Amino acid sequence: FVQHVNRYSGLAYQDDPAVVCFELINEPQYAPGTTDPQVIEYINALADAVRATGCPKPLFYNGWCNRLAAVREARVDGSTFGWYPTGLVAGHSLRRNFLPLVNQYGGSDVWNPSMRSELVARKAKIVYEFDAADVPGSYMYPAMARAFRSGGAQIATQFQYDPLPLAPFNQGWQTHYLNLVCTPQKAVSFLIAGEAFRRLPRLQDCGPYPVSTRFGPLRVSYEEDLSELVTECDFFYSNSTRTAPPVPDKLQRVIGCGSSCVLRYEGTGAYFLEKLAEGSWRLEVYPDAVWVNDPYGTHSLSREVVRLFWREWPMEIRLGDLGDDFTVEPLNEGNQVRAQAAAGKCRLHPGVYLLQRSGVTSAEWKKARLPHEAGLREFFALPGKAAPTVVRHEPVPGWVEGKALPVSFTVATPQEPDAVALEFDSAASEAPRPLPVQREGAYGYAVSVPGEWLTPGQTRYRLTVRNAGAVEVFPTGEAGSESSGFWHVPVFSRSGPVPLFDADRHQANPQSDLAWKKTLVPGMTDSHRAVRI
């Protein structure tokens, strides 16, 4: 294997500088009664076979199943570790705060032994695979990178990146999902995690949660769904942030999703702003990614998870080096958008642009970056496609009478709808009552149902979307007041019990109570557990 020659590079794996090291076996398991001396003999047989080829690269072996002692004695350079703190294949998005679970890596778990164990103190350490599986948020990756570095890891590899043609369907692995175009916030979070891994010293303890949400120039927040890196030169954020860079005039790179005090943008794709020379910046803007289904549900090529839109949006950039009236010149092939900013604002669609301060010529940035000019023009994203309107909404499993009910929707349309409205119906009302829905941002709409409308019993509502004279009704999208269906929410009495399990209903329909699952989960501290219902 290590002597195999790659037909494209002409290099054997053992000679390829892109191959950093070898893990001798992935996730070894042992028959009952297997002793450490037997494991050591096995590891050495593998290692000696590789070394006999003349391969000089470091060799690693997985120490799980309580085999760190064998790794210590074997003729290998280091131990490998894996981590899935949120489990695997939940079948749906996990939305609770997982930061307390990733404060430290490893411990008593046989699958995640501690990197800090004295048994491997003199061995190198690599995380061969990890992920925050089934978590749609963009706050986990830097926290995991911090935990790895505090344990002494020198390399950490996330399990799977979705290839672009399949990414709109998450067709790779159901429980994993990462792609720059289709999961922009998670991708920026992962980029920030890479920066964390390279910047943080090994074996540094960042304290207990929530103190550990700030480490060096980085910050993570479950409440804001945010990963963030802020230095004099770099300003990276996975979601809209109120943080301000310490010295805006010294910035060299801005990478983000959403808006900040430096760049305001309503589109949902990621953007990269990099300084090329004084007064010259390269801007790369990706299409809007709108999630129209739970990406961690059952996947198939007929189940769309993300829809991409190449909408034009206003962008406001506040950088002293650019000024208020900078010019915008397209760089990528097929892009014809040229603009002149006014008060730092211009309208752009996805693509690559050269932004230049008034009076600065292209000769300046070409003189600084001429060898890389071709790469600066590269841009890859899937095209948009004509498709019917999709509304994504997850109704709450239950509510309490008299308390205002917040309801939010994602409305995926190529153009802004003319009108969006909610029709609310309950056992106490004679006919559905209309409620105006407020636009919360690109593709997002929300409304609060008054508490006095919510009485015990089954309540229901539907959404109407008006566009170019046509009216669509959701959840099914069929026109007509009766055939369109409703979303349903049970409303409970303030003084009555909440039914967790109805035996009569369950006997009639065994699927009806599947939503009520009882799971033992880690608590807020290492010594506590909790029951999640």
Side-chain angles (χ1 to χ4, degrees):
F1 179 83
V2 300
Q3 291 178 319
H4 172 76
V5 175
N6 182 309
R7 72 180 74 176
Y8 301 104
S9 68
L11 293 170
Y13 290 147
Q14 66 183 22
D15 300 322
D16 192 331
V19 177
V20 179
C21 58
F22 291 102
E23 182 191 34
L24 295 174
I25 184 173
N26 181 60
E27 301 183 354
Q29 299 184 47
Y30 310 96
T34 304
T35 64
D36 272 1
Q38 289 175 307
V39 175
I40 295 169
E41 181 181 5
Y42 174 67
I43 299 173
N44 287 341
L46 293 175
D48 291 347
V50 174
R51 290 286 181 242
T53 68
C55 175
K57 296 185 183 296
L59 303 180
F60 287 77
Y61 190 86
N62 193 316
W64 69 352
C65 294
N66 295 322
R67 298 297 178 170
L68 290 182
V71 175
R72 177 188 60 183
E73 301 301 327
R75 292 190 289 272
V76 289
D77 302 285
S79 181
T80 64
F81 302 83
W83 203 19
Y84 292 108
T86 60
L88 289 168
V89 198
H92 58 89
S93 292
L94 302 177
R95 300 189 180 279
R96 67 189 183 91
N97 182 3
F98 287 99
L99 288 177
L101 270 67
V102 295
N103 209 59
Q104 296 288 341
Y105 172 82
S108 59
D109 187 347
V110 296
W111 307 113
N112 298 309
S114 175
M115 290 183 191
R116 292 178 176 269
S117 170
E118 286 298 316
L119 294 172
V120 288
R122 300 183 62 82
K123 297 283 187 178
K125 298 159 187 73
I126 285 178
V127 180
Y128 70 96
E129 68 179 63
F130 75 91
D131 199 6
D134 300 309
V135 176
S138 65
Y139 66 95
M140 284 283 282
Y141 286 140
M144 296 181 75
R146 178 206 64 215
F148 292 146
R149 288 299 280 170
S150 69
Q154 292 152 292
I155 295 175
T157 57
Q158 192 267 1
F159 182 72
Q160 178 235 298
Y161 186 84
D162 285 83
L164 188 55
L166 300 177
F169 310 95
N170 189 22
Q171 187 58 31
W173 293 74
Q174 176 183 339
T175 195
H176 306 284
Y177 198 28
L178 184 64
N179 176 274
L180 174 59
V181 178
C182 294
T183 70
Q185 293 176 318
K186 289 193 68 174
V188 172
S189 173
F190 188 68
L191 181 151
I192 293 170
E195 294 288 338
F197 200 84
R198 289 184 287 273
R199 293 169 186 252
L200 294 173
R202 295 173 65 239
L203 306 177
Q204 175 179 284
D205 189 340
C206 295
Y209 176 85
V211 173
S212 59
T213 57
R214 293 179 180 270
F215 42 103
L218 298 113
R219 180 171 75 95
V220 291
S221 170
Y222 164 74
E223 292 76 14
E224 300 170 69
D225 186 18
L226 177 66
S227 300
E228 191 176 75
L229 168 71
V230 185
T231 70
E232 287 189 350
C233 297
D234 297 321
F235 188 26
F236 303 165
Y237 42 90
S238 67
N239 210 338
S240 293
T241 178
R242 295 183 296 273
T243 302
V247 190
D249 289 343
K250 290 187 178 181
L251 285 175
Q252 300 289 318
R253 293 187 298 169
V254 178
I255 299 174
C257 295
S259 292
S260 68
C261 62
V262 171
L263 194 154
R264 299 193 64 81
Y265 182 61
E266 197 172 343
T268 64
Y271 49 79
F272 297 74
L273 186 59
E274 180 182 9
K275 187 173 184 177
L276 303 176
E278 291 298 322
S280 295
W281 293 68
R282 180 187 185 271
L283 172 66
E284 186 170 356
V285 183
Y286 281 88
D288 295 343
V290 183
W291 289 15
V292 296
N293 264 312
D294 187 338
Y296 301 108
T298 302
H299 62 176
S300 76
L301 289 175
S302 62
R303 182 179 182 269
E304 185 182 30
V305 168
V306 168
R307 187 170 295 177
L308 299 175
F309 296 106
W310 289 60
R311 275 201 201 176
E312 181 182 272
W313 292 101
M315 179 177 283
E316 180 180 356
I317 301 175
R318 290 297 179 189
L319 286 171
D321 187 58
L322 276 177
D324 290 338
D325 56 351
F326 55 85
T327 60
V328 180
E329 175 187 335
L331 290 180
N332 61 300
E333 183 178 355
N335 190 353
Q336 303 298 319
V337 176
R338 296 178 182 272
Q340 176 81 46
K345 301 176 184 178
C346 57
R347 294 187 67 87
L348 300 173
H349 70 63
V352 182
Y353 299 90
L354 173 65
L355 312 183
Q356 291 192 295
R357 187 175 65 228
S358 178
V360 173
T361 65
S362 294
E364 294 299 319
W365 76 270
K366 287 186 176 181
K367 182 166 50 178
R369 290 296 190 100
L370 187 58
H372 309 292
E373 183 178 345
L376 292 176
R377 297 180 183 275
E378 287 182 350
F379 184 72
F380 298 98
L382 293 172
K385 64 178 181 180
T389 299
V390 173
V391 172
R392 184 183 180 202
H393 170 65
E394 297 177 4
V396 296
W399 204 247
V400 179
E401 65 171 323
K403 181 181 177 182
L405 171 65
V407 185
S408 60
F409 304 89
T410 297
V411 180
T413 55
Q415 303 299 327
E416 203 76 20
D418 297 328
V420 179
L422 184 80
E423 292 183 351
F424 179 84
D425 191 22
S426 70
S429 59
E430 296 181 357
R433 289 183 271 191
L435 267 178
V437 177
Q438 300 298 315
R439 182 180 182 276
E440 295 284 290
Y443 312 99
Y445 296 82
V447 64
S448 181
V449 179
E452 57 267 24
W453 289 14
L454 298 166
T455 56
Q458 193 78 252
T459 191
R460 62 182 192 171
Y461 51 86
R462 62 193 178 195
L463 198 71
T464 61
V465 180
R466 184 182 301 275
N467 206 352
V471 177
E472 295 179 275
V473 185
F474 296 90
T476 66
E478 299 173 6
S481 60
E482 296 303 323
S483 63
S484 61
F486 290 84
W487 286 290
H488 296 263
V489 173
V491 178
F492 303 116
S493 168
R494 285 185 177 273
S495 57
V498 176
L500 298 184
F501 180 81
D502 186 324
D504 292 333
R505 186 181 67 160
H506 182 81
Q507 185 174 8
N509 179 14
Q511 299 298 313
S512 64
D513 286 288
L514 287 182
W516 299 105
K517 297 179 180 178
K518 296 172 285 297
T519 310
L520 191 66
V521 298
M524 291 295 285
T525 67
D526 292 338
S527 60
H528 289 80
R529 295 291 180 266
V531 173
R532 178 157 54 101
I533 298 177

